[in-house]
Amino acid sequence: MQQTLKRVGVVGGVRIPFCRNNTAYADVGNFGMSVKVLGTLVERYGLHRVELGEVAFGAVIKHSFDWNLAREALLSSGLAPTTPGITTARACGTSLDNAIIIANKIATGQIEAGIAGGSDTTSDVPIVYGRRLQQRVLAVNRAKTWQDKLKAALSGFSFGELKPSFPGVAEPRTHKSMGDHCELMAREWNIAREAQDAFALGSHQKLAAAYAAGFFDGLLVPFRGLERDGFLRADTSMEKLAALKPAFDKTSGRGTLTAGNSTGLSDGAAAVLLASEDWAAARGLKVQAYLSHAKVAAVDFVHGEGLLMAPTIAVSRMLDEAGLALQDFDFYEIHEAFAAQVLCTLRAWESADYCRNRLGKDKPLGAIDPARLNVNGSSLAVGHPFAATGARLVASLAKTLEQKGSGRGLISICTAGGMGVTAILERP
């Protein structure tokens, strides 16, 4: 029996201002930031003591005690304690993945409403120690007598075992950072430093204009004394950006990625409420847009493909399923991990060779109108707390479509591990 799928509405979203690590949120942690955004949704949409079908929330960098982050945060948010929660992680795509999880459950009738989101901090990171100390502590725990415990604790001990290990940003398979990989992509696609700086400048200018226009009223809730994103540099210029030194390839003389055209280490959280039309209508809530399609893909970056190129594939496959062309969108939200990564993606879609050999197309997907791309600024100016970015993009795009009154928008996010998460929002 064929199942009729329900339309999935984006009711609205919220985030706290994103800030540089080791600043305003240094002592808050993922739990505190998560409770803030979830609690704000509860207050805004009258969800106090309401049982939702699911809260899907995630974090990339988290302590072991945060293994149940979604459930613990929702229990402090004001939602009914009978609301289930699932904690997820897919690097930078985490909260867009969570929106897809919630949407799929709503579409198939498993639930009527749910919240998707994510939080990340690079200030409150887990500090771990090496395997030798770990094994020593376990041996002490297994020992039965105090003499055996003392022997296990001291035998062969060196003070070097006490050196802590911080979370790394390198890919385990290649031992290269995301920035190192993006440098390789920039060379492959001939993305010049000046083009990257110009793209970054545009992101700051568009974000500043969006603040001035009041776009973030309702999307942003003040937190810890912050009322806007800490990465915004409205006064930056091409001259200032050009003065920055390469951040990853510092010695070859060919490095083009800098602190100005790459996202910085960030803290923040975001969440979005999704629901069926009937559930929203019963509560007098308006739907801003509908999440209609989604797709995830991966690349073989270990053997030479660009680490951050998977969205080019996911978008191509999603367009096929939706029966759409790349140009059939009013807005494009392409996550700005690096300016070079966005420019590589755009150039790949315009490349006949790439589209034929990698995407299996008989012609290029083509160019998009730059005036429709990241119209309110994006990660280069906003910041990028890994697991929060997807929910930020869903909430911002839904509001953009609501303001326009109708239209269609595309979301594309690259992730560590060579994956891409994409989605389409529509407002009839």
Side-chain angles (χ1 to χ4, degrees), residues 4-11 106-107 111-113 274-291 426-428:
T4 301
L5 299 179
K6 297 182 180 180
R7 289 207 298 181
V8 179
V10 178
V11 177
I106 293 170
I111 65 175
E112 291 296 321
L274 300 103
S276 68
E277 292 176 291
D278 289 344
W279 188 93
R283 287 157 179 78
L285 300 175
K286 296 181 180 179
V287 170
Q288 293 182 316
Y290 296 91
L291 200 164
E426 299 179 280
R427 183 177 173 91

Side-chain angles (χ1 to χ4, degrees), residues 41-182:
L41 283 183
V42 168
E43 292 299 320
R44 180 168 298 170
Y45 296 110
L47 303 178
H48 185 67
R49 304 294 293 180
V50 172
E51 178 184 314
L52 296 182
E54 185 84 270
V55 170
F57 214 88
V60 177
I61 298 177
K62 58 182 181 293
H63 296 275
S64 58
F65 56 72
D66 273 337
W67 66 272
N68 204 15
L69 177 64
R71 175 65 174 158
E72 293 300 327
L74 78 85
L75 287 172
S76 295
S77 70
L79 289 170
T82 50
T83 300
I86 179 172
T87 303
T88 70
R90 196 206 296 266
C92 313
T94 296
S95 54
L96 180 54
D97 256 324
N98 287 336
I100 296 168
I101 289 171
I102 297 296
N104 285 341
K105 290 187 175 185
I106 293 170
T108 57
Q110 296 179 53
I111 65 175
E112 291 296 321
I115 292 175
S119 169
D120 252 305
T121 172
T122 49
S123 301
D124 180 27
V125 299
I127 306 301
V128 298
Y129 293 86
R131 182 166 178 78
R132 286 191 64 186
L133 185 62
Q134 176 209 30
Q135 292 299 306
R136 184 179 300 281
V137 172
L138 291 174
V140 171
N141 185 62
R142 287 192 298 266
K144 301 300 183 184
T145 67
W146 70 266
Q147 293 94 336
D148 289 340
K149 289 181 182 293
L150 185 63
K151 181 178 179 181
L154 300 178
S155 180
F157 173 78
S158 73
F159 283 102
E161 295 178 28
L162 299 178
K163 182 180 179 180
S165 175
F166 292 86
V169 294
E171 289 290 334
R173 299 278 174 167
T174 64
H175 307 294
K176 292 184 176 72
S177 71
M178 189 176 286
D180 294 329
H181 276 282
C182 196

Side-chain angles (χ1 to χ4, degrees), residues 347-361:
R347 191 160 292 180
W349 285 334
E350 296 179 46
S351 166
D353 286 343
Y354 185 84
C355 289
R356 180 177 58 253
N357 298 328
R358 188 61 182 89
L359 304 183
K361 304 291 184 182

Side-chain angles (χ1 to χ4, degrees), residues 393-416:
L393 294 178
V394 171
S396 293
L397 180 55
K399 181 173 181 178
T400 302
L401 290 169
E402 181 185 39
Q403 287 184 339
K404 183 178 183 296
S406 64
R408 182 184 293 121
L410 182 149
I411 298 175
S412 170
I413 299 179
C414 60
T415 87

